[in-house]
Amino acid sequence: MLVKQTTKFIAILVLLMTSVSSFANTQEHGNQHDEQGNKVDSPEEIKDYIAHHLKDSHDFHLYTNNETGKHVGFPLPVIVWTSEGLKTFMSSEFHHDDNGQVIVEKGGVKLTKIHSKIYELEAGAEAVAFDDHHHAENAHKVLDFSITKSVFGMLLTGVLMLLMFVSLARAYKKGPIPTGVSRALEPLVIYVRDEIARPNIGEKKYRKFMSFLLTVFFFIWILNLLGLTPFGFNVTGQIAVTACLAIFTLVIYMFSGSKDFWAHTLWMPGVPVILRPILAVIELVGFILIKPFSLLVRLFANITAGHFVVMSLIALMITMKQAFGPVASTGMSLVLSLFIMVIEILVAFLQAFIFTMLSSLFIGMAVEEHDHH
């Protein structure tokens, strides 16, 4: 069995080396291209290229044809509220332009995309006028309800979670021991219950918060794993997403706080009366601002940094090609990228665990009943 698995691993590794080496050879004829089809081959251009692809977008960009500079991917629905009401169309009408060069006219409204944001041109304007800082002077942002790449990732994760937990529930109806995929899911559910919820919230009250903790754990974990796929998801690397998750935790532990929690927070016993108002302000700032901020920044920063490192290592095949040749630079990039990707699989679980652990800890601090005797 061990020999068979080793043979499969070697075959996969050889296949990866062959495909990447083939890609490296094509670098002799053309490099990566940006959104406008221009070659990306300098350190500054690569840095901008990576920063652009870490942002949310209105379409999926899989790869660029090195010969023609043509982008390959698939569009997503654009849903915007303009001065003329709701407008919908597919993002392919922008033709991958992100600099305000392509104008899309819908129902008398002219729309364009600048730095991943959709703008509406003022009446009578035929093109976007930019100032010295490349800010649009004759266009304004619209309310964007589009199904972006991050929204698509969250919807996909929601569907996967629904299927997973429905399958687990049905498996428990058939017997005490689940089968199939549910057997792999059950240990994770038990882990969240026994290692996160019970120790931090307490035996009496942990059940009330299990649904939230399980949802947060699997939501973050699956999204982190999707971020390692070639589709370029970076949902938990969007600060708006991590901020929403942190706000959910804030609302839950603030509204679930016991009388003892609020009594000790607003009028702390055992200290001089003159210090109690000062300590109350410090405690409120900690619970309302500092704790949620630490939750959102930790998840956002770690995931974004991981993606940036992976893409930077992949870019070594371009930046180091002149010094080491296409094959050597590509091989170095492949080995380092594979190493970091393995670590990122661990980080995907670790960040989901940390966010869920801290959320349960904050909830446990709020619902704890103090023994006054």
Side-chain angles (χ1 to χ4, degrees), residues 103 105 109-111 120-129 137-139:
I103 308 298
E105 187 170 354
V109 177
K110 295 178 181 178
L111 303 168
E120 176 185 349
L121 272 69
E122 296 177 356
E126 297 295 332
V128 181
E137 295 182 326
N138 60 343

Side-chain angles (χ1 to χ4, degrees), residues 29-40 49 53 61 64-71:
H29 305 285
N31 293 311
Q32 288 297 96
H33 295 71
D34 60 13
E35 294 295 325
Q36 288 72 46
N38 302 318
K39 289 183 178 180
V40 177
Y49 186 83
H53 281 270
H61 176 214
T64 301
N65 189 303
N66 288 319
E67 298 293 337
T68 63
K70 183 179 179 181
H71 301 285

Side-chain angles (χ1 to χ4, degrees), residues 1 14 31 39 41 48 68 72 93-94 107 118 135 230 256 271 280 326 352 357 361:
M1 180 63 69
V14 170
N31 293 311
K39 289 183 178 180
D41 49 15
D48 293 338
T68 63
V72 178
E93 297 195 31
F94 287 122
I118 297 179
H135 295 152
S256 301
V271 298
M357 172 67 77
L361 182 62

Side-chain angles (χ1 to χ4, degrees), residues 37-201:
N38 302 318
K39 289 183 178 180
V40 177
D41 49 15
S42 68
E44 292 77 14
E45 291 172 337
I46 290 174
K47 183 178 179 180
D48 293 338
Y49 186 83
I50 293 174
H52 174 79
H53 281 270
L54 289 177
K55 297 179 181 178
D56 198 7
S57 64
H58 289 80
D59 56 8
F60 280 92
H61 176 214
L62 301 180
Y63 67 93
T64 301
N65 189 303
N66 288 319
E67 298 293 337
T68 63
K70 183 179 179 181
H71 301 285
V72 178
F74 55 90
L76 292 169
V78 174
I79 307 170
V80 293
W81 185 266
T82 68
S83 59
E84 298 294 330
L86 190 68
K87 304 297 178 184
T88 60
F89 54 95
M90 297 302 291
S91 62
S92 56
E93 297 195 31
F94 287 122
H95 301 292
H96 296 279
D97 175 68
D98 198 43
N99 285 329
Q101 302 300 318
V102 176
I103 308 298
V104 177
E105 187 170 354
K106 292 293 177 181
V109 177
K110 295 178 181 178
L111 303 168
T112 188
K113 187 155 67 76
I114 306 172
H115 303 312
S116 301
K117 305 294 183 182
I118 297 179
Y119 287 75
E120 176 185 349
L121 272 69
E122 296 177 356
E126 297 295 332
V128 181
F130 294 98
D131 59 18
D132 295 337
H133 301 285
H134 204 261
H135 295 152
E137 295 182 326
N138 60 343
H140 60 273
K141 294 180 182 179
V142 296
L143 290 176
D144 195 350
F145 305 100
S146 304
I147 307 298
T148 62
K149 188 162 60 175
S150 293
V151 174
F152 182 85
M154 288 187 284
L155 293 175
L156 176 60
T157 301
V159 172
L160 291 175
M161 290 175 60
L162 181 63
L163 295 175
M164 290 163 55
F165 284 107
V166 168
S167 174
L168 181 61
R170 289 177 177 175
Y172 276 124
K173 289 182 179 180
K174 297 178 180 180
I177 301 177
T179 58
V181 178
S182 300
R183 181 173 292 182
L185 185 62
E186 183 191 34
L188 291 173
V189 174
I190 295 175
Y191 180 82
V192 173
R193 183 193 68 185
D194 294 346
E195 302 297 330
I196 298 178
R198 274 178 170 168
N200 293 307
I201 301 177

